[in-house]
Tab-separated table of all heavy atoms in Angstrom:
chain	number	residue	atom	x	y	z
A	41	MET	N	122.301	101.884	117.381
A	41	MET	CA	122.336	100.790	116.429
A	41	MET	C	122.253	99.461	117.188
A	41	MET	O	122.888	99.282	118.214
A	41	MET	CB	123.636	100.853	115.630
A	41	MET	CG	123.767	99.730	114.665
A	41	MET	SD	125.198	99.953	113.625
A	41	MET	CE	125.831	98.318	113.632
A	42	LEU	N	121.446	98.567	116.680
A	42	LEU	CA	121.332	97.250	117.289
A	42	LEU	C	122.528	96.394	116.899
A	42	LEU	O	122.977	96.418	115.767
A	42	LEU	CB	120.057	96.549	116.831
A	42	LEU	CG	118.762	97.023	117.454
A	42	LEU	CD1	117.587	96.310	116.816
A	42	LEU	CD2	118.757	96.818	118.934
A	43	THR	N	123.009	95.639	117.837
A	43	THR	CA	124.111	94.723	117.579
A	43	THR	C	123.578	93.301	117.551
A	43	THR	O	122.460	93.029	117.993
A	43	THR	CB	125.183	94.834	118.670
A	43	THR	OG1	124.596	94.423	119.913
A	43	THR	CG2	125.725	96.246	118.782
A	44	LYS	N	124.406	92.411	117.058
A	44	LYS	CA	124.041	90.993	117.048
A	44	LYS	C	123.729	90.523	118.463
A	44	LYS	O	122.762	89.790	118.679
A	44	LYS	CB	125.194	90.189	116.449
A	44	LYS	CG	124.967	88.702	116.420
A	44	LYS	CD	126.129	88.031	115.707
A	44	LYS	CE	126.566	86.807	116.415
A	44	LYS	NZ	127.692	86.145	115.785
A	45	GLU	N	124.506	90.995	119.422
A	45	GLU	CA	124.297	90.593	120.816
A	45	GLU	C	122.970	91.099	121.360
A	45	GLU	O	122.404	90.509	122.275
A	45	GLU	CB	125.448	91.090	121.694
A	45	GLU	CG	126.765	90.373	121.447
A	45	GLU	CD	127.457	90.781	120.139
A	45	GLU	OE1	127.199	91.891	119.633
A	45	GLU	OE2	128.228	89.973	119.620
A	46	ALA	N	122.454	92.183	120.811
A	46	ALA	CA	121.161	92.714	121.241
A	46	ALA	C	120.003	92.039	120.510
A	46	ALA	O	118.924	91.875	121.067
A	46	ALA	CB	121.111	94.223	121.009
A	47	ILE	N	120.240	91.647	119.268
A	47	ILE	CA	119.185	91.055	118.445
A	47	ILE	C	118.912	89.606	118.829
A	47	ILE	O	117.755	89.178	118.904
A	47	ILE	CB	119.556	91.145	116.948
A	47	ILE	CG1	119.575	92.609	116.511
A	47	ILE	CG2	118.606	90.340	116.082
A	47	ILE	CD1	120.150	92.835	115.133
A	48	LEU	N	119.959	88.831	119.066
A	48	LEU	CA	119.785	87.390	119.289
A	48	LEU	C	118.867	87.035	120.456
A	48	LEU	O	118.028	86.146	120.309
A	48	LEU	CB	121.142	86.709	119.433
A	48	LEU	CG	121.915	86.584	118.116
A	48	LEU	CD1	123.263	85.926	118.347
A	48	LEU	CD2	121.119	85.821	117.089
A	49	PRO	N	118.955	87.697	121.617
A	49	PRO	CA	118.012	87.352	122.690
A	49	PRO	C	116.553	87.618	122.303
A	49	PRO	O	115.656	86.864	122.693
A	49	PRO	CB	118.436	88.246	123.855
A	49	PRO	CG	119.853	88.585	123.581
A	49	PRO	CD	119.976	88.630	122.084
A	50	LEU	N	116.314	88.658	121.512
A	50	LEU	CA	114.952	88.949	121.064
A	50	LEU	C	114.447	87.855	120.127
A	50	LEU	O	113.310	87.391	120.236
A	50	LEU	CB	114.916	90.305	120.354
A	50	LEU	CG	115.349	91.518	121.177
A	50	LEU	CD1	115.425	92.757	120.307
A	50	LEU	CD2	114.404	91.728	122.339
A	51	VAL	N	115.298	87.460	119.195
A	51	VAL	CA	114.931	86.401	118.253
A	51	VAL	C	114.746	85.079	118.998
A	51	VAL	O	113.768	84.356	118.769
A	51	VAL	CB	115.994	86.260	117.140
A	51	VAL	CG1	115.750	85.020	116.296
A	51	VAL	CG2	116.017	87.511	116.274
A	52	ASN	N	115.659	84.756	119.887
A	52	ASN	CA	115.590	83.474	120.598
A	52	ASN	C	114.340	83.350	121.460
A	52	ASN	O	113.753	82.270	121.552
A	52	ASN	CB	116.843	83.270	121.441
A	52	ASN	CG	118.049	82.932	120.594
A	52	ASN	OD1	117.909	82.450	119.475
A	52	ASN	ND2	119.228	83.203	121.117
A	53	ALA	N	113.912	84.440	122.071
A	53	ALA	CA	112.697	84.392	122.888
A	53	ALA	C	111.491	84.035	122.033
A	53	ALA	O	110.665	83.204	122.424
A	53	ALA	CB	112.486	85.731	123.581
A	54	ARG	N	111.393	84.635	120.859
A	54	ARG	CA	110.274	84.332	119.971
A	54	ARG	C	110.415	82.957	119.330
A	54	ARG	O	109.434	82.251	119.127
A	54	ARG	CB	110.140	85.423	118.919
A	54	ARG	CG	109.443	86.633	119.516
A	54	ARG	CD	109.954	87.938	119.003
A	54	ARG	NE	109.351	89.051	119.712
A	54	ARG	CZ	109.881	89.595	120.814
A	54	ARG	NH1	110.981	89.118	121.332
A	54	ARG	NH2	109.298	90.616	121.398
A	55	LEU	N	111.635	82.567	119.053
A	55	LEU	CA	111.886	81.252	118.490
A	55	LEU	C	111.451	80.158	119.465
A	55	LEU	O	110.814	79.175	119.070
A	55	LEU	CB	113.374	81.108	118.152
A	55	LEU	CG	113.826	79.825	117.499
A	55	LEU	CD1	113.089	79.580	116.196
A	55	LEU	CD2	115.314	79.873	117.250
A	56	ASN	N	111.752	80.342	120.733
A	56	ASN	CA	111.325	79.371	121.738
A	56	ASN	C	109.803	79.259	121.785
A	56	ASN	O	109.249	78.163	121.912
A	56	ASN	CB	111.866	79.752	123.116
A	56	ASN	CG	113.344	79.477	123.232
A	56	ASN	OD1	113.894	78.641	122.537
A	56	ASN	ND2	114.001	80.205	124.121
A	57	ARG	N	109.122	80.383	121.652
A	57	ARG	CA	107.654	80.367	121.659
A	57	ARG	C	107.114	79.649	120.424
A	57	ARG	O	106.168	78.864	120.523
A	57	ARG	CB	107.133	81.793	121.735
A	57	ARG	CG	105.641	81.892	121.770
A	57	ARG	CD	105.171	82.730	122.921
A	57	ARG	NE	103.748	82.992	122.825
A	57	ARG	CZ	102.853	82.316	123.525
A	57	ARG	NH1	103.234	81.398	124.381
A	57	ARG	NH2	101.577	82.585	123.397
A	58	VAL	N	107.689	79.919	119.259
A	58	VAL	CA	107.262	79.246	118.027
A	58	VAL	C	107.455	77.738	118.158
A	58	VAL	O	106.580	76.953	117.771
A	58	VAL	CB	108.029	79.797	116.804
A	58	VAL	CG1	107.846	78.917	115.577
A	58	VAL	CG2	107.589	81.220	116.513
A	59	LEU	N	108.584	77.320	118.717
A	59	LEU	CA	108.836	75.887	118.888
A	59	LEU	C	107.852	75.261	119.876
A	59	LEU	O	107.401	74.127	119.673
A	59	LEU	CB	110.280	75.653	119.335
A	59	LEU	CG	111.328	75.898	118.251
A	59	LEU	CD1	112.729	75.812	118.849
A	59	LEU	CD2	111.162	74.935	117.092
A	60	LEU	N	107.490	75.977	120.912
A	60	LEU	CA	106.516	75.467	121.876
A	60	LEU	C	105.145	75.285	121.218
A	60	LEU	O	104.475	74.267	121.412
A	60	LEU	CB	106.419	76.416	123.073
A	60	LEU	CG	105.499	75.986	124.200
A	60	LEU	CD1	105.988	74.674	124.822
A	60	LEU	CD2	105.439	77.080	125.260
A	61	ILE	N	104.743	76.259	120.411
A	61	ILE	CA	103.462	76.151	119.693
A	61	ILE	C	103.502	74.980	118.712
A	61	ILE	O	102.552	74.194	118.619
A	61	ILE	CB	103.143	77.473	118.967
A	61	ILE	CG1	102.859	78.568	119.999
A	61	ILE	CG2	101.976	77.309	118.003
A	61	ILE	CD1	102.856	79.972	119.436
A	62	ALA	N	104.597	74.840	117.986
A	62	ALA	CA	104.731	73.734	117.034
A	62	ALA	C	104.700	72.387	117.746
A	62	ALA	O	104.084	71.439	117.260
A	62	ALA	CB	106.018	73.879	116.229
A	63	GLN	N	105.339	72.329	118.913
A	63	GLN	CA	105.348	71.073	119.670
A	63	GLN	C	103.937	70.688	120.095
A	63	GLN	O	103.574	69.510	120.088
A	63	GLN	CB	106.251	71.208	120.888
A	63	GLN	CG	106.447	69.906	121.634
A	63	GLN	CD	107.443	70.047	122.772
A	63	GLN	OE1	107.662	71.144	123.284
A	63	GLN	NE2	108.045	68.948	123.153
A	64	ALA	N	103.133	71.673	120.434
A	64	ALA	CA	101.754	71.400	120.838
A	64	ALA	C	100.877	71.010	119.654
A	64	ALA	O	99.895	70.280	119.818
A	64	ALA	CB	101.167	72.632	121.530
A	65	ALA	N	101.235	71.480	118.460
A	65	ALA	CA	100.372	71.285	117.298
A	65	ALA	C	100.752	70.108	116.405
A	65	ALA	O	99.911	69.604	115.673
A	65	ALA	CB	100.361	72.559	116.455
A	66	LEU	N	102.010	69.681	116.449
A	66	LEU	CA	102.488	68.662	115.514
A	66	LEU	C	102.719	67.321	116.202
A	66	LEU	O	103.102	67.288	117.374
A	66	LEU	CB	103.812	69.116	114.888
A	66	LEU	CG	103.776	70.365	114.010
A	66	LEU	CD1	105.195	70.797	113.650
A	66	LEU	CD2	102.957	70.113	112.760
A	67	PRO	N	102.551	66.232	115.455
A	67	PRO	CA	102.980	64.936	115.978
A	67	PRO	C	104.489	64.964	116.232
A	67	PRO	O	105.219	65.735	115.586
A	67	PRO	CB	102.645	63.952	114.853
A	67	PRO	CG	101.663	64.650	113.985
A	67	PRO	CD	101.933	66.119	114.137
A	68	GLU	N	104.964	64.125	117.135
A	68	GLU	CA	106.360	64.184	117.572
A	68	GLU	C	107.360	64.109	116.428
A	68	GLU	O	108.303	64.896	116.369
A	68	GLU	CB	106.644	63.080	118.594
A	68	GLU	CG	108.024	63.194	119.185
A	68	GLU	CD	108.281	62.186	120.290
A	68	GLU	OE1	107.322	61.579	120.782
A	68	GLU	OE2	109.458	62.020	120.637
A	69	HIS	N	107.180	63.179	115.485
A	69	HIS	CA	108.154	63.052	114.395
A	69	HIS	C	108.152	64.281	113.495
A	69	HIS	O	109.203	64.699	113.013
A	69	HIS	CB	107.912	61.767	113.587
A	69	HIS	CG	106.667	61.777	112.777
A	69	HIS	ND1	105.426	61.555	113.320
A	69	HIS	CD2	106.464	62.002	111.455
A	69	HIS	CE1	104.509	61.630	112.378
A	69	HIS	NE2	105.108	61.906	111.235
A	70	GLN	N	106.993	64.890	113.277
A	70	GLN	CA	106.940	66.118	112.478
A	70	GLN	C	107.545	67.289	113.241
A	70	GLN	O	108.228	68.128	112.653
A	70	GLN	CB	105.507	66.445	112.075
A	70	GLN	CG	104.973	65.533	111.002
A	70	GLN	CD	103.564	65.901	110.599
A	70	GLN	OE1	102.797	66.439	111.393
A	70	GLN	NE2	103.219	65.599	109.363
A	71	PHE	N	107.306	67.338	114.540
A	71	PHE	CA	107.883	68.409	115.340
A	71	PHE	C	109.404	68.335	115.320
A	71	PHE	O	110.077	69.361	115.180
A	71	PHE	CB	107.387	68.370	116.786
A	71	PHE	CG	108.166	69.295	117.683
A	71	PHE	CD1	108.033	70.670	117.565
A	71	PHE	CD2	109.060	68.786	118.609
A	71	PHE	CE1	108.779	71.532	118.366
A	71	PHE	CE2	109.808	69.640	119.418
A	71	PHE	CZ	109.663	71.015	119.290
A	72	GLU	N	109.974	67.153	115.445
A	72	GLU	CA	111.433	67.019	115.443
A	72	GLU	C	112.026	67.506	114.122
A	72	GLU	O	113.047	68.190	114.108
A	72	GLU	CB	111.844	65.571	115.732
A	72	GLU	CG	111.609	65.151	117.171
A	72	GLU	CD	112.332	66.032	118.184
A	72	GLU	OE1	113.484	66.443	117.929
A	72	GLU	OE2	111.735	66.327	119.231
A	73	ALA	N	111.381	67.188	113.015
A	73	ALA	CA	111.856	67.665	111.708
A	73	ALA	C	111.715	69.187	111.620
A	73	ALA	O	112.628	69.885	111.165
A	73	ALA	CB	111.080	66.987	110.582
A	74	PHE	N	110.585	69.717	112.060
A	74	PHE	CA	110.353	71.165	112.054
A	74	PHE	C	111.384	71.870	112.926
A	74	PHE	O	111.965	72.884	112.534
A	74	PHE	CB	108.936	71.448	112.568
A	74	PHE	CG	108.604	72.909	112.669
A	74	PHE	CD1	108.224	73.625	111.547
A	74	PHE	CD2	108.669	73.567	113.889
A	74	PHE	CE1	107.915	74.979	111.636
A	74	PHE	CE2	108.367	74.917	113.998
A	74	PHE	CZ	107.980	75.619	112.863
A	75	ARG	N	111.645	71.325	114.095
A	75	ARG	CA	112.611	71.915	115.026
A	75	ARG	C	114.003	71.997	114.400
A	75	ARG	O	114.676	73.015	114.477
A	75	ARG	CB	112.639	71.088	116.317
A	75	ARG	CG	113.568	71.623	117.377
A	75	ARG	CD	113.492	70.728	118.631
A	75	ARG	NE	114.384	71.211	119.649
A	75	ARG	CZ	115.684	70.915	119.726
A	75	ARG	NH1	116.233	70.110	118.828
A	75	ARG	NH2	116.422	71.407	120.682
A	76	ARG	N	114.427	70.907	113.752
A	76	ARG	CA	115.735	70.906	113.091
A	76	ARG	C	115.816	71.980	112.013
A	76	ARG	O	116.805	72.710	111.912
A	76	ARG	CB	116.038	69.540	112.481
A	76	ARG	CG	116.589	68.532	113.484
A	76	ARG	CD	117.158	67.307	112.796
A	76	ARG	NE	116.218	66.633	111.921
A	76	ARG	CZ	115.342	65.715	112.307
A	76	ARG	NH1	115.286	65.356	113.579
A	76	ARG	NH2	114.531	65.151	111.455
A	77	LEU	N	114.767	72.084	111.198
A	77	LEU	CA	114.751	73.092	110.137
A	77	LEU	C	114.788	74.508	110.699
A	77	LEU	O	115.550	75.358	110.226
A	77	LEU	CB	113.499	72.922	109.268
A	77	LEU	CG	113.459	71.690	108.381
A	77	LEU	CD1	112.079	71.524	107.760
A	77	LEU	CD2	114.515	71.785	107.300
A	78	ILE	N	113.984	74.770	111.699
A	78	ILE	CA	113.928	76.106	112.300
A	78	ILE	C	115.263	76.469	112.943
A	78	ILE	O	115.770	77.579	112.763
A	78	ILE	CB	112.783	76.190	113.337
A	78	ILE	CG1	111.431	76.174	112.637
A	78	ILE	CG2	112.910	77.420	114.222
A	78	ILE	CD1	111.159	77.382	111.758
A	79	LEU	N	115.846	75.547	113.680
A	79	LEU	CA	117.118	75.843	114.337
A	79	LEU	C	118.235	76.048	113.312
A	79	LEU	O	119.121	76.883	113.522
A	79	LEU	CB	117.467	74.752	115.349
A	79	LEU	CG	116.543	74.703	116.570
A	79	LEU	CD1	116.919	73.539	117.478
A	79	LEU	CD2	116.532	76.012	117.332
A	80	ASP	N	118.180	75.322	112.201
A	80	ASP	CA	119.158	75.561	111.131
A	80	ASP	C	118.985	76.958	110.540
A	80	ASP	O	119.959	77.668	110.303
A	80	ASP	CB	119.013	74.528	110.006
A	80	ASP	CG	119.621	73.189	110.355
A	80	ASP	OD1	120.376	73.107	111.353
A	80	ASP	OD2	119.343	72.214	109.621
A	81	GLU	N	117.755	77.364	110.297
A	81	GLU	CA	117.488	78.669	109.696
A	81	GLU	C	117.877	79.826	110.611
A	81	GLU	O	118.344	80.857	110.144
A	81	GLU	CB	116.003	78.803	109.326
A	81	GLU	CG	115.611	78.017	108.111
A	81	GLU	CD	116.364	78.461	106.870
A	81	GLU	OE1	116.470	79.683	106.620
A	81	GLU	OE2	116.852	77.590	106.143
A	82	PHE	N	117.687	79.662	111.904
A	82	PHE	CA	117.966	80.747	112.833
A	82	PHE	C	119.311	80.601	113.536
A	82	PHE	O	119.731	81.493	114.256
A	82	PHE	CB	116.847	80.859	113.874
A	82	PHE	CG	115.597	81.456	113.314
A	82	PHE	CD1	114.645	80.661	112.704
A	82	PHE	CD2	115.382	82.817	113.364
A	82	PHE	CE1	113.491	81.207	112.167
A	82	PHE	CE2	114.241	83.382	112.835
A	82	PHE	CZ	113.288	82.574	112.236
A	83	GLY	N	120.000	79.502	113.296
A	83	GLY	CA	121.271	79.247	113.967
A	83	GLY	C	122.468	79.652	113.123
A	83	GLY	O	122.400	80.535	112.272
A	84	ARG	N	123.577	78.978	113.368
A	84	ARG	CA	124.840	79.315	112.715
A	84	ARG	C	124.816	79.150	111.199
A	84	ARG	O	125.594	79.767	110.492
A	84	ARG	CB	125.973	78.479	113.299
A	84	ARG	CG	126.384	78.931	114.681
A	84	ARG	CD	127.541	78.116	115.197
A	84	ARG	NE	128.167	78.485	116.427
A	84	ARG	CZ	127.621	78.886	117.544
A	84	ARG	NH1	126.338	79.048	117.612
A	84	ARG	NH2	128.310	79.155	118.627
A	85	ALA	N	123.923	78.312	110.702
A	85	ALA	CA	123.831	78.108	109.254
A	85	ALA	C	122.857	79.093	108.605
A	85	ALA	O	122.723	79.105	107.389
A	85	ALA	CB	123.385	76.674	108.946
A	86	GLY	N	122.209	79.931	109.390
A	86	GLY	CA	121.202	80.831	108.844
A	86	GLY	C	121.352	82.251	109.346
A	86	GLY	O	122.265	82.977	108.946
A	87	LEU	N	120.462	82.645	110.241
A	87	LEU	CA	120.405	84.033	110.700
A	87	LEU	C	121.694	84.505	111.346
A	87	LEU	O	122.161	85.614	111.062
A	87	LEU	CB	119.238	84.217	111.684
A	87	LEU	CG	119.064	85.627	112.232
A	87	LEU	CD1	118.731	86.603	111.118
A	87	LEU	CD2	118.015	85.658	113.315
A	88	ILE	N	122.304	83.696	112.176
A	88	ILE	CA	123.543	84.127	112.840
A	88	ILE	C	124.635	84.390	111.811
A	88	ILE	O	125.347	85.391	111.891
A	88	ILE	CB	123.995	83.093	113.892
A	88	ILE	CG1	123.009	83.090	115.057
A	88	ILE	CG2	125.410	83.394	114.381
A	88	ILE	CD1	123.294	82.044	116.114
A	89	ARG	N	124.728	83.538	110.810
A	89	ARG	CA	125.713	83.758	109.741
A	89	ARG	C	125.400	85.050	109.002
A	89	ARG	O	126.295	85.842	108.694
A	89	ARG	CB	125.718	82.575	108.779
A	89	ARG	CG	126.743	82.732	107.655
A	89	ARG	CD	126.663	81.624	106.633
A	89	ARG	NE	125.337	81.630	106.038
A	89	ARG	CZ	124.714	80.560	105.590
A	89	ARG	NH1	125.274	79.384	105.676
A	89	ARG	NH2	123.520	80.643	105.057
A	90	ASP	N	124.110	85.303	108.727
A	90	ASP	CA	123.719	86.529	108.036
A	90	ASP	C	124.033	87.759	108.882
A	90	ASP	O	124.491	88.776	108.358
A	90	ASP	CB	122.235	86.508	107.693
A	90	ASP	CG	121.896	85.461	106.644
A	90	ASP	OD1	122.820	84.962	105.969
A	90	ASP	OD2	120.705	85.136	106.515
A	91	LEU	N	123.793	87.689	110.171
A	91	LEU	CA	124.098	88.820	111.048
A	91	LEU	C	125.590	89.111	111.071
A	91	LEU	O	126.000	90.268	111.199
A	91	LEU	CB	123.595	88.559	112.464
A	91	LEU	CG	122.076	88.576	112.653
A	91	LEU	CD1	121.723	88.172	114.083
A	91	LEU	CD2	121.481	89.924	112.301
A	92	ASP	N	126.398	88.080	110.937
A	92	ASP	CA	127.848	88.267	110.925
A	92	ASP	C	128.323	89.030	109.686
A	92	ASP	O	129.420	89.573	109.684
A	92	ASP	CB	128.583	86.923	111.002
A	92	ASP	CG	128.533	86.325	112.393
A	92	ASP	OD1	128.333	87.080	113.370
A	92	ASP	OD2	128.700	85.098	112.507
A	93	THR	N	127.505	89.088	108.642
A	93	THR	CA	127.901	89.795	107.423
A	93	THR	C	127.549	91.276	107.459
A	93	THR	O	127.975	92.030	106.596
A	93	THR	CB	127.245	89.168	106.175
A	93	THR	OG1	125.827	89.367	106.241
A	93	THR	CG2	127.573	87.689	106.054
A	94	ILE	N	126.765	91.698	108.447
A	94	ILE	CA	126.376	93.105	108.543
A	94	ILE	C	127.561	93.901	109.072
A	94	ILE	O	128.114	93.574	110.118
A	94	ILE	CB	125.158	93.271	109.473
A	94	ILE	CG1	123.950	92.545	108.887
A	94	ILE	CG2	124.854	94.759	109.684
A	94	ILE	CD1	122.759	92.513	109.804
A	95	PRO	N	127.931	94.951	108.347
A	95	PRO	CA	129.064	95.754	108.818
A	95	PRO	C	128.743	96.429	110.156
A	95	PRO	O	127.619	96.837	110.398
A	95	PRO	CB	129.264	96.797	107.731
A	95	PRO	CG	128.265	96.543	106.683
A	95	PRO	CD	127.376	95.434	107.113
A	96	VAL	N	129.745	96.531	110.991
A	96	VAL	CA	129.592	97.158	112.294
A	96	VAL	C	130.075	98.597	112.193
A	96	VAL	O	131.168	98.854	111.696
A	96	VAL	CB	130.417	96.402	113.357
A	96	VAL	CG1	130.319	97.099	114.694
A	96	VAL	CG2	129.966	94.966	113.450
A	97	GLU	N	129.249	99.516	112.660
A	97	GLU	CA	129.647	100.918	112.655
A	97	GLU	C	130.534	101.179	113.862
A	97	GLU	O	130.345	100.626	114.929
A	97	GLU	CB	128.418	101.823	112.706
A	97	GLU	CG	127.606	101.779	111.428
A	97	GLU	CD	126.449	102.760	111.461
A	97	GLU	OE1	126.441	103.650	112.331
A	97	GLU	OE2	125.556	102.620	110.617
A	98	SER	N	131.492	102.052	113.674
A	98	SER	CA	132.443	102.329	114.752
A	98	SER	C	132.004	103.479	115.634
A	98	SER	O	132.749	103.922	116.482
A	98	SER	CB	133.817	102.633	114.144
A	98	SER	OG	133.727	103.799	113.356
A	99	GLY	N	130.800	103.988	115.429
A	99	GLY	CA	130.323	105.092	116.234
A	99	GLY	C	130.746	106.449	115.714
A	99	GLY	O	130.564	107.461	116.364
A	100	GLN	N	131.338	106.469	114.525
A	100	GLN	CA	131.777	107.727	113.942
A	100	GLN	C	130.577	108.475	113.378
A	100	GLN	O	129.512	107.910	113.167
A	100	GLN	CB	132.796	107.483	112.827
A	100	GLN	CG	134.063	106.835	113.313
A	100	GLN	CD	134.997	106.520	112.145
A	100	GLN	OE1	134.612	106.601	111.002
A	100	GLN	NE2	136.216	106.160	112.469
A	101	GLU	N	130.786	109.744	113.123
A	101	GLU	CA	129.753	110.566	112.512
A	101	GLU	C	129.433	110.039	111.115
A	101	GLU	O	130.262	109.435	110.462
A	101	GLU	CB	130.224	112.022	112.414
A	101	GLU	CG	130.303	112.719	113.751
A	101	GLU	CD	128.942	112.921	114.376
A	101	GLU	OE1	127.987	113.262	113.660
A	101	GLU	OE2	128.845	112.722	115.604
A	102	ARG	N	128.239	110.338	110.664
A	102	ARG	CA	127.806	109.947	109.328
A	102	ARG	C	128.670	110.640	108.292
A	102	ARG	O	128.956	111.818	108.397
A	102	ARG	CB	126.354	110.361	109.150
A	102	ARG	CG	125.778	110.026	107.825
A	102	ARG	CD	124.310	110.513	107.809
A	102	ARG	NE	123.788	110.452	106.481
A	102	ARG	CZ	123.851	111.447	105.600
A	102	ARG	NH1	124.430	112.558	105.895
A	102	ARG	NH2	123.334	111.303	104.407
A	103	HIS	N	129.090	109.896	107.279
A	103	HIS	CA	129.877	110.455	106.188
A	103	HIS	C	128.956	110.750	105.022
A	103	HIS	O	127.994	110.055	104.788
A	103	HIS	CB	130.985	109.498	105.758
A	103	HIS	CG	131.986	109.234	106.839
A	103	HIS	ND1	132.961	110.131	107.166
A	103	HIS	CD2	132.132	108.192	107.689
A	103	HIS	CE1	133.685	109.652	108.165
A	103	HIS	NE2	133.197	108.473	108.502
A	104	GLY	N	129.284	111.773	104.266
A	104	GLY	CA	128.484	112.103	103.103
A	104	GLY	C	128.146	113.581	103.109
A	104	GLY	O	128.565	114.334	103.983
A	105	PRO	N	127.383	113.987	102.102
A	105	PRO	CA	127.063	115.408	102.002
A	105	PRO	C	126.217	115.875	103.185
A	105	PRO	O	125.318	115.179	103.626
A	105	PRO	CB	126.293	115.527	100.684
A	105	PRO	CG	125.858	114.156	100.342
A	105	PRO	CD	126.764	113.201	101.048
A	106	GLY	N	126.538	117.023	103.670
A	106	GLY	CA	125.775	117.597	104.759
A	106	GLY	C	124.882	118.711	104.248
A	106	GLY	O	124.977	119.138	103.100
A	107	ARG	N	123.979	119.130	105.082
A	107	ARG	CA	123.089	120.227	104.712
A	107	ARG	C	123.755	121.554	105.015
A	107	ARG	O	124.312	121.730	106.087
A	107	ARG	CB	121.792	120.144	105.496
A	107	ARG	CG	120.895	119.063	105.033
A	107	ARG	CD	119.592	119.247	105.726
A	107	ARG	NE	118.535	118.911	104.799
A	107	ARG	CZ	117.296	118.791	105.140
A	107	ARG	NH1	116.929	119.002	106.369
A	107	ARG	NH2	116.390	118.479	104.260
A	108	THR	N	123.658	122.439	104.089
A	108	THR	CA	124.152	123.795	104.322
A	108	THR	C	123.027	124.764	104.005
A	108	THR	O	122.669	124.930	102.837
A	108	THR	CB	125.388	124.102	103.468
A	108	THR	OG1	125.070	123.872	102.103
A	108	THR	CG2	126.556	123.233	103.885
A	109	THR	N	122.463	125.344	105.025
A	109	THR	CA	121.393	126.322	104.801
A	109	THR	C	121.636	127.570	105.608
A	109	THR	O	122.336	127.603	106.538
A	109	THR	CB	120.009	125.753	105.179
A	109	THR	OG1	120.064	125.281	106.517
A	109	THR	CG2	119.606	124.677	104.240
């Protein structure tokens, strides 16, 4: 199972690339606004907060009906 600690470096690497592309493509004032919006969406007010709501499994066996054949 992926954890928040495993997911965030993957997201951040791609986020940095998206910001670099945006910086190359947008005028400075538009890039600064875009950067703020993106960091809000992927930061503590967005994705990180959402990841914190995902229940963490304790490594126990799956509960529920099993197969009997």
Side-chain angles (χ1 to χ4, degrees):
M41 178 173 137
L42 284 175
T43 64
K44 178 176 137 181
E45 290 74 24
I47 294 170
L48 287 179
L50 300 173
V51 170
N52 286 337
R54 281 144 186 91
L55 183 58
N56 286 335
R57 181 128 171 100
V58 167
L59 288 173
L60 183 62
I61 292 166
Q63 187 175 24
L66 296 171
E68 186 175 346
H69 69 282
Q70 287 181 331
F71 169 70
E72 288 302 321
F74 177 81
R75 182 179 179 275
R76 278 193 304 274
L77 290 170
I78 289 295
L79 292 177
D80 282 347
E81 286 299 314
F82 286 87
R84 286 182 173 42
L87 180 63
I88 291 176
R89 181 185 60 211
D90 292 344
L91 290 175
D92 285 337
T93 66
I94 297 173
V96 177
E97 291 184 15
S98 63
Q100 297 176 349
E101 289 293 319
R102 180 180 169 270
H103 297 283
R107 286 189 143 170
T108 56
T109 54

